[in-house]
Amino acid sequence: MAEKSVLLLFGGGSTEHEISKVSSKFIRKNLKSIEGIKTYAIELTKDNGYIAEDGEECHLSFTGELIFEKSGKRIKIDYAIPCLHGFPGETGDIQSVFELSRIPYFGCDKEASQNCFNKVTSKLWFDTLQIPNTPSIFLSSSNLNELEKARTFFRKYGEVFIKAASQGSSVGCYWVTDESNLEMSVIEAFNYSQHVLIEKALKARELEIAVYEYDGKIVVTRPGEIITPENEFYSYEEKYSNGSNSVTHIEAKDLTDTQVSTMMKIAKKAFVAMKLRHLARIDFFLTSEGEIYLNEVNTFPGMTEISMFPKMLENHGHSFINYLKQHITK
Ligand SMILES: Nc1ncnc2c1ncn2[C@@H]1O[C@H](COP(=O)(O)OP(=O)(O)O)[C@@H](O)[C@H]1O
Ligand SMILES: [Mg+2]
């Protein structure tokens, strides 16, 4: 059988560029154990350039070839893995390029990615699917009228989360407990996105479920948990810095059977109805009053050595190498 050329794309233009590099190293390590494939690990720079490991610039043609600028080498790509968190992977942009170039690829398609990435769009989906989610409103500008809406919402709940609609990694995400910081945070969030979501701030546990396709079936794991220190949220620093005090549990403790099964059912419903493919990490809140809310769907969750998604998959009894192999060689 001819060797398959696999394009492993990492980096990208988002604030998660560096994390995606770390994720790609982990995926690369796993790909090494798969016979019959040759991996081309290519970094997508912040200004959309493609750079090979030896520093040579290259680009992807609309005929599905990776073309190296200096040597003129052309490689027909058989499969692509968009190991990109945020733009242009989770936003659905790179999937359009793959489709136009007729390259089969790993993960959700363009539309599903877009629907999940935009926090306003995904709320509309959750509501339509009758999936419980945190009470919220969204603003389309920071004019006086919209700021007044924000103030009214704040006064109703006393504490809110303000989130740029098209962002991840807690960038453009602010926890506001004092009304005097409200306006500033809304304006800040608009620096990142065209829409801003305002949510009731919850006192809640943060639970995550991995959903993926294995042996042709959709697998839903039990929830894992992220525990952040008291009075902090799962901010960019808590997620990625060495000084993070957050703790993760591959399987959350002290949940009732009903809570577990409710979350698993909702995760599967979202995966199926929103037409997700191959993988997703679906994040929940469990409030102190026992309400379960779907927070967000990540279509390319962290894939580092210590990330929840690969760990939950292995904990479920599956092999991550085998999982990648199934999709690449299908
Ligand atoms: N409504 C909320 N109540 C309490 N904490 C929240 C709320 N929304 C977000 N958070 C905190 O902020 C973090 C980031 O928010 P999230 O919506 O997951 O955005 P991102 O896409 O950046 O991960 C969450 O993991 C959680 O710690
Ligand atoms: Mg999140």
mmCIF file of all heavy atoms in Angstrom, residues 27-62:
data_model
loop_
_atom_site.group_PDB
_atom_site.id
_atom_site.type_symbol
_atom_site.label_atom_id
_atom_site.label_comp_id
_atom_site.label_asym_id
_atom_site.label_seq_id
_atom_site.Cartn_x
_atom_site.Cartn_y
_atom_site.Cartn_z
ATOM 1 N N ILE A 27 0.342 14.995 19.152
ATOM 2 C CA ILE A 27 -0.260 14.257 18.035
ATOM 3 C C ILE A 27 0.847 13.645 17.167
ATOM 4 O O ILE A 27 0.793 12.478 16.793
ATOM 5 C CB ILE A 27 -1.190 15.172 17.208
ATOM 6 C CG1 ILE A 27 -2.396 15.543 18.067
ATOM 7 C CG2 ILE A 27 -1.631 14.500 15.906
ATOM 8 C CD1 ILE A 27 -3.470 16.324 17.378
ATOM 9 N N ARG A 28 1.870 14.408 16.925
ATOM 10 C CA ARG A 28 3.018 13.947 16.124
ATOM 11 C C ARG A 28 3.624 12.683 16.715
ATOM 12 O O ARG A 28 3.912 11.715 16.005
ATOM 13 C CB ARG A 28 4.054 15.081 16.106
ATOM 14 C CG ARG A 28 5.284 14.813 15.292
ATOM 15 C CD ARG A 28 4.966 15.123 13.868
ATOM 16 N NE ARG A 28 5.903 14.535 12.927
ATOM 17 C CZ ARG A 28 6.983 15.154 12.459
ATOM 18 N NH1 ARG A 28 7.261 16.375 12.850
ATOM 19 N NH2 ARG A 28 7.761 14.566 11.593
ATOM 20 N N LYS A 29 3.799 12.733 18.035
ATOM 21 C CA LYS A 29 4.385 11.581 18.747
ATOM 22 C C LYS A 29 3.525 10.335 18.507
ATOM 23 O O LYS A 29 4.040 9.252 18.251
ATOM 24 C CB LYS A 29 4.436 11.922 20.239
ATOM 25 C CG LYS A 29 5.298 10.981 21.038
ATOM 26 C CD LYS A 29 5.404 11.415 22.477
ATOM 27 C CE LYS A 29 4.473 10.578 23.328
ATOM 28 N NZ LYS A 29 4.418 11.011 24.720
ATOM 29 N N ASN A 30 2.222 10.515 18.560
ATOM 30 C CA ASN A 30 1.308 9.383 18.350
ATOM 31 C C ASN A 30 1.302 8.918 16.904
ATOM 32 O O ASN A 30 1.233 7.725 16.630
ATOM 33 C CB ASN A 30 -0.106 9.757 18.809
ATOM 34 C CG ASN A 30 -0.225 9.723 20.323
ATOM 35 O OD1 ASN A 30 -0.399 8.662 20.893
ATOM 36 N ND2 ASN A 30 -0.083 10.864 20.956
ATOM 37 N N LEU A 31 1.430 9.864 15.981
ATOM 38 C CA LEU A 31 1.433 9.509 14.557
ATOM 39 C C LEU A 31 2.646 8.651 14.205
ATOM 40 O O LEU A 31 2.595 7.822 13.301
ATOM 41 C CB LEU A 31 1.422 10.772 13.676
ATOM 42 C CG LEU A 31 0.162 11.641 13.703
ATOM 43 C CD1 LEU A 31 0.354 12.878 12.835
ATOM 44 C CD2 LEU A 31 -1.067 10.865 13.230
ATOM 45 N N LYS A 32 3.735 8.851 14.959
ATOM 46 C CA LYS A 32 4.967 8.098 14.686
ATOM 47 C C LYS A 32 4.760 6.592 14.823
ATOM 48 O O LYS A 32 5.475 5.809 14.222
ATOM 49 C CB LYS A 32 6.080 8.563 15.631
ATOM 50 C CG LYS A 32 6.644 9.901 15.198
ATOM 51 C CD LYS A 32 8.020 10.186 15.793
ATOM 52 C CE LYS A 32 8.588 11.446 15.166
ATOM 53 N NZ LYS A 32 8.950 12.451 16.139
ATOM 54 N N SER A 33 3.778 6.210 15.635
ATOM 55 C CA SER A 33 3.531 4.768 15.844
ATOM 56 C C SER A 33 2.617 4.181 14.775
ATOM 57 O O SER A 33 2.268 3.012 14.856
ATOM 58 C CB SER A 33 2.887 4.529 17.201
ATOM 59 O OG SER A 33 3.524 5.258 18.181
ATOM 60 N N ILE A 34 2.163 5.004 13.859
ATOM 61 C CA ILE A 34 1.246 4.493 12.841
ATOM 62 C C ILE A 34 2.034 4.194 11.561
ATOM 63 O O ILE A 34 2.698 5.090 11.022
ATOM 64 C CB ILE A 34 0.102 5.496 12.564
ATOM 65 C CG1 ILE A 34 -0.631 5.824 13.885
ATOM 66 C CG2 ILE A 34 -0.881 4.951 11.520
ATOM 67 C CD1 ILE A 34 -1.673 6.916 13.762
ATOM 68 N N GLU A 35 1.942 2.968 11.127
ATOM 69 C CA GLU A 35 2.679 2.588 9.917
ATOM 70 C C GLU A 35 1.976 3.086 8.662
ATOM 71 O O GLU A 35 0.753 3.246 8.651
ATOM 72 C CB GLU A 35 2.776 1.070 9.846
ATOM 73 C CG GLU A 35 3.999 0.539 10.577
ATOM 74 C CD GLU A 35 4.022 -0.970 10.588
ATOM 75 O OE1 GLU A 35 3.686 -1.577 9.558
ATOM 76 O OE2 GLU A 35 4.373 -1.512 11.656
ATOM 77 N N GLY A 36 2.773 3.315 7.631
ATOM 78 C CA GLY A 36 2.194 3.641 6.327
ATOM 79 C C GLY A 36 1.819 5.101 6.144
ATOM 80 O O GLY A 36 1.118 5.454 5.205
ATOM 81 N N ILE A 37 2.256 5.962 7.070
ATOM 82 C CA ILE A 37 1.984 7.390 6.861
ATOM 83 C C ILE A 37 3.270 8.210 6.972
ATOM 84 O O ILE A 37 4.192 7.833 7.700
ATOM 85 C CB ILE A 37 0.927 7.964 7.839
ATOM 86 C CG1 ILE A 37 1.417 7.900 9.292
ATOM 87 C CG2 ILE A 37 -0.417 7.287 7.696
ATOM 88 C CD1 ILE A 37 0.540 8.705 10.229
ATOM 89 N N LYS A 38 3.300 9.274 6.245
ATOM 90 C CA LYS A 38 4.414 10.214 6.402
ATOM 91 C C LYS A 38 3.788 11.550 6.803
ATOM 92 O O LYS A 38 2.873 12.038 6.140
ATOM 93 C CB LYS A 38 5.186 10.340 5.083
ATOM 94 C CG LYS A 38 6.300 11.367 5.184
ATOM 95 C CD LYS A 38 7.421 11.103 4.192
ATOM 96 C CE LYS A 38 8.484 12.189 4.201
ATOM 97 N NZ LYS A 38 9.110 12.418 5.504
ATOM 98 N N THR A 39 4.286 12.089 7.909
ATOM 99 C CA THR A 39 3.680 13.323 8.417
ATOM 100 C C THR A 39 4.469 14.555 7.978
ATOM 101 O O THR A 39 5.699 14.581 8.080
ATOM 102 C CB THR A 39 3.629 13.280 9.967
ATOM 103 O OG1 THR A 39 2.942 12.102 10.353
ATOM 104 C CG2 THR A 39 2.908 14.485 10.533
ATOM 105 N N TYR A 40 3.743 15.544 7.518
ATOM 106 C CA TYR A 40 4.339 16.848 7.226
ATOM 107 C C TYR A 40 3.792 17.810 8.267
ATOM 108 O O TYR A 40 2.616 18.179 8.206
ATOM 109 C CB TYR A 40 3.983 17.312 5.805
ATOM 110 C CG TYR A 40 4.617 16.430 4.761
ATOM 111 C CD1 TYR A 40 3.975 15.259 4.342
ATOM 112 C CD2 TYR A 40 5.873 16.729 4.246
ATOM 113 C CE1 TYR A 40 4.582 14.412 3.416
ATOM 114 C CE2 TYR A 40 6.491 15.889 3.320
ATOM 115 C CZ TYR A 40 5.843 14.733 2.911
ATOM 116 O OH TYR A 40 6.441 13.888 2.011
ATOM 117 N N ALA A 41 4.623 18.145 9.253
ATOM 118 C CA ALA A 41 4.179 19.066 10.305
ATOM 119 C C ALA A 41 4.484 20.486 9.832
ATOM 120 O O ALA A 41 5.644 20.850 9.617
ATOM 121 C CB ALA A 41 4.901 18.767 11.602
ATOM 122 N N ILE A 42 3.456 21.235 9.614
ATOM 123 C CA ILE A 42 3.625 22.573 9.035
ATOM 124 C C ILE A 42 3.045 23.616 9.990
ATOM 125 O O ILE A 42 1.906 23.483 10.453
ATOM 126 C CB ILE A 42 2.890 22.673 7.677
ATOM 127 C CG1 ILE A 42 3.374 21.588 6.696
ATOM 128 C CG2 ILE A 42 3.019 24.075 7.076
ATOM 129 C CD1 ILE A 42 4.779 21.744 6.158
ATOM 130 N N GLU A 43 3.847 24.642 10.236
ATOM 131 C CA GLU A 43 3.365 25.716 11.116
ATOM 132 C C GLU A 43 2.681 26.789 10.283
ATOM 133 O O GLU A 43 3.218 27.267 9.285
ATOM 134 C CB GLU A 43 4.546 26.329 11.879
ATOM 135 C CG GLU A 43 4.113 27.496 12.747
ATOM 136 C CD GLU A 43 5.176 27.953 13.737
ATOM 137 O OE1 GLU A 43 6.282 27.380 13.756
ATOM 138 O OE2 GLU A 43 4.882 28.900 14.488
ATOM 139 N N LEU A 44 1.489 27.123 10.724
ATOM 140 C CA LEU A 44 0.766 28.224 10.098
ATOM 141 C C LEU A 44 1.125 29.461 10.923
ATOM 142 O O LEU A 44 0.882 29.498 12.127
ATOM 143 C CB LEU A 44 -0.733 27.915 10.179
ATOM 144 C CG LEU A 44 -1.689 28.732 9.337
ATOM 145 C CD1 LEU A 44 -1.306 28.673 7.869
ATOM 146 C CD2 LEU A 44 -3.099 28.178 9.507
ATOM 147 N N THR A 45 1.757 30.445 10.264
ATOM 148 C CA THR A 45 2.200 31.613 11.018
ATOM 149 C C THR A 45 0.999 32.519 11.293
ATOM 150 O O THR A 45 -0.078 32.317 10.729
ATOM 151 C CB THR A 45 3.265 32.411 10.224
ATOM 152 O OG1 THR A 45 2.643 32.880 9.019
ATOM 153 C CG2 THR A 45 4.461 31.551 9.885
ATOM 154 N N LYS A 46 1.225 33.521 12.133
ATOM 155 C CA LYS A 46 0.111 34.395 12.508
ATOM 156 C C LYS A 46 -0.424 35.185 11.317
ATOM 157 O O LYS A 46 -1.555 35.632 11.321
ATOM 158 C CB LYS A 46 0.510 35.318 13.654
ATOM 159 C CG LYS A 46 0.754 34.504 14.923
ATOM 160 C CD LYS A 46 0.695 35.306 16.190
ATOM 161 C CE LYS A 46 0.722 34.333 17.355
ATOM 162 N NZ LYS A 46 0.842 34.896 18.646
ATOM 163 N N ASP A 47 0.430 35.363 10.269
ATOM 164 C CA ASP A 47 -0.085 36.066 9.095
ATOM 165 C C ASP A 47 -0.366 35.093 7.941
ATOM 166 O O ASP A 47 -0.202 35.426 6.761
ATOM 167 C CB ASP A 47 0.844 37.217 8.671
ATOM 168 C CG ASP A 47 2.281 36.737 8.461
ATOM 169 O OD1 ASP A 47 2.530 35.527 8.671
ATOM 170 O OD2 ASP A 47 3.134 37.559 8.080
ATOM 171 N N ASN A 48 -0.763 33.871 8.309
ATOM 172 C CA ASN A 48 -1.232 32.867 7.347
ATOM 173 C C ASN A 48 -0.182 32.334 6.379
ATOM 174 O O ASN A 48 -0.520 31.885 5.292
ATOM 175 C CB ASN A 48 -2.434 33.392 6.545
ATOM 176 C CG ASN A 48 -3.592 33.760 7.444
ATOM 177 O OD1 ASN A 48 -3.736 33.191 8.517
ATOM 178 N ND2 ASN A 48 -4.396 34.709 7.031
ATOM 179 N N GLY A 49 1.089 32.380 6.770
ATOM 180 C CA GLY A 49 2.130 31.721 5.968
ATOM 181 C C GLY A 49 2.292 30.278 6.449
ATOM 182 O O GLY A 49 1.934 29.957 7.581
ATOM 183 N N TYR A 50 2.817 29.409 5.562
ATOM 184 C CA TYR A 50 3.051 28.020 5.948
ATOM 185 C C TYR A 50 4.557 27.792 5.998
ATOM 186 O O TYR A 50 5.259 28.103 5.036
ATOM 187 C CB TYR A 50 2.479 27.052 4.906
ATOM 188 C CG TYR A 50 0.979 27.051 4.734
ATOM 189 C CD1 TYR A 50 0.310 28.086 4.077
ATOM 190 C CD2 TYR A 50 0.231 25.969 5.198
ATOM 191 C CE1 TYR A 50 -1.067 28.059 3.897
ATOM 192 C CE2 TYR A 50 -1.159 25.926 5.019
ATOM 193 C CZ TYR A 50 -1.790 26.979 4.373
ATOM 194 O OH TYR A 50 -3.143 26.943 4.191
ATOM 195 N N ILE A 51 5.042 27.218 7.118
ATOM 196 C CA ILE A 51 6.480 26.990 7.247
ATOM 197 C C ILE A 51 6.751 25.535 7.643
ATOM 198 O O ILE A 51 6.196 25.038 8.630
ATOM 199 C CB ILE A 51 7.097 27.935 8.304
ATOM 200 C CG1 ILE A 51 6.746 29.373 7.931
ATOM 201 C CG2 ILE A 51 8.600 27.705 8.426
ATOM 202 C CD1 ILE A 51 7.668 30.404 8.384
ATOM 203 N N ALA A 52 7.625 24.887 6.871
ATOM 204 C CA ALA A 52 7.973 23.493 7.167
ATOM 205 C C ALA A 52 8.979 23.441 8.320
ATOM 206 O O ALA A 52 9.520 24.469 8.724
ATOM 207 C CB ALA A 52 8.559 22.852 5.918
ATOM 208 N N GLU A 53 9.230 22.227 8.791
ATOM 209 C CA GLU A 53 10.111 22.074 9.966
ATOM 210 C C GLU A 53 11.523 22.606 9.738
ATOM 211 O O GLU A 53 12.153 23.109 10.663
ATOM 212 C CB GLU A 53 10.196 20.598 10.351
ATOM 213 C CG GLU A 53 8.978 20.182 11.147
ATOM 214 C CD GLU A 53 8.883 18.675 11.259
ATOM 215 O OE1 GLU A 53 8.653 18.028 10.218
ATOM 216 O OE2 GLU A 53 9.052 18.172 12.372
ATOM 217 N N ASP A 54 12.011 22.499 8.492
ATOM 218 C CA ASP A 54 13.363 22.999 8.230
ATOM 219 C C ASP A 54 13.355 24.496 7.895
ATOM 220 O O ASP A 54 14.357 25.057 7.479
ATOM 221 C CB ASP A 54 13.996 22.202 7.073
ATOM 222 C CG ASP A 54 13.188 22.339 5.783
ATOM 223 O OD1 ASP A 54 12.174 23.079 5.795
ATOM 224 O OD2 ASP A 54 13.564 21.726 4.776
ATOM 225 N N GLY A 55 12.231 25.143 8.073
ATOM 226 C CA GLY A 55 12.140 26.586 7.865
ATOM 227 C C GLY A 55 11.728 26.976 6.458
ATOM 228 O O GLY A 55 11.515 28.163 6.171
ATOM 229 N N GLU A 56 11.619 25.979 5.559
ATOM 230 C CA GLU A 56 11.254 26.325 4.186
ATOM 231 C C GLU A 56 9.786 26.737 4.103
ATOM 232 O O GLU A 56 8.905 26.108 4.683
ATOM 233 C CB GLU A 56 11.506 25.128 3.238
ATOM 234 C CG GLU A 56 11.269 25.507 1.790
ATOM 235 C CD GLU A 56 11.652 24.413 0.791
ATOM 236 O OE1 GLU A 56 12.187 23.368 1.194
ATOM 237 O OE2 GLU A 56 11.377 24.633 -0.415
ATOM 238 N N GLU A 57 9.542 27.803 3.362
ATOM 239 C CA GLU A 57 8.158 28.242 3.183
ATOM 240 C C GLU A 57 7.456 27.345 2.183
ATOM 241 O O GLU A 57 8.086 26.800 1.273
ATOM 242 C CB GLU A 57 8.123 29.677 2.676
ATOM 243 C CG GLU A 57 8.442 30.667 3.783
ATOM 244 C CD GLU A 57 8.368 32.094 3.311
ATOM 245 O OE1 GLU A 57 7.531 32.399 2.447
ATOM 246 O OE2 GLU A 57 9.174 32.896 3.816
ATOM 247 N N CYS A 58 6.178 27.184 2.359
ATOM 248 C CA CYS A 58 5.422 26.340 1.432
ATOM 249 C C CYS A 58 3.983 26.859 1.395
ATOM 250 O O CYS A 58 3.635 27.787 2.122
ATOM 251 C CB CYS A 58 5.460 24.885 1.893
ATOM 252 S SG CYS A 58 5.065 24.632 3.613
ATOM 253 N N HIS A 59 3.177 26.295 0.544
ATOM 254 C CA HIS A 59 1.751 26.634 0.559
ATOM 255 C C HIS A 59 0.934 25.463 0.058
ATOM 256 O O HIS A 59 1.465 24.518 -0.549
ATOM 257 C CB HIS A 59 1.474 27.909 -0.255
ATOM 258 C CG HIS A 59 1.610 27.740 -1.728
ATOM 259 N ND1 HIS A 59 2.799 27.940 -2.392
ATOM 260 C CD2 HIS A 59 0.699 27.401 -2.677
ATOM 261 C CE1 HIS A 59 2.625 27.717 -3.680
ATOM 262 N NE2 HIS A 59 1.352 27.385 -3.890
ATOM 263 N N LEU A 60 -0.349 25.535 0.324
ATOM 264 C CA LEU A 60 -1.252 24.472 -0.056
ATOM 265 C C LEU A 60 -1.976 24.932 -1.312
ATOM 266 O O LEU A 60 -2.531 26.036 -1.349
ATOM 267 C CB LEU A 60 -2.256 24.290 1.089
ATOM 268 C CG LEU A 60 -2.946 22.956 1.232
ATOM 269 C CD1 LEU A 60 -1.958 21.811 1.335
ATOM 270 C CD2 LEU A 60 -3.829 22.975 2.478
ATOM 271 N N SER A 61 -1.948 24.082 -2.344
ATOM 272 C CA SER A 61 -2.612 24.497 -3.583
ATOM 273 C C SER A 61 -4.065 24.042 -3.570
ATOM 274 O O SER A 61 -4.440 23.166 -2.791
ATOM 275 C CB SER A 61 -1.911 23.871 -4.781
ATOM 276 O OG SER A 61 -2.316 22.521 -4.895
ATOM 277 N N PHE A 62 -4.865 24.606 -4.452
ATOM 278 C CA PHE A 62 -6.261 24.191 -4.526
ATOM 279 C C PHE A 62 -6.415 22.817 -5.175
ATOM 280 O O PHE A 62 -7.522 22.304 -5.287
ATOM 281 C CB PHE A 62 -7.111 25.251 -5.243
ATOM 282 C CG PHE A 62 -7.465 26.378 -4.321
ATOM 283 C CD1 PHE A 62 -7.062 27.680 -4.581
ATOM 284 C CD2 PHE A 62 -8.199 26.129 -3.163
ATOM 285 C CE1 PHE A 62 -7.386 28.716 -3.707
ATOM 286 C CE2 PHE A 62 -8.521 27.152 -2.282
ATOM 287 C CZ PHE A 62 -8.115 28.448 -2.555
#
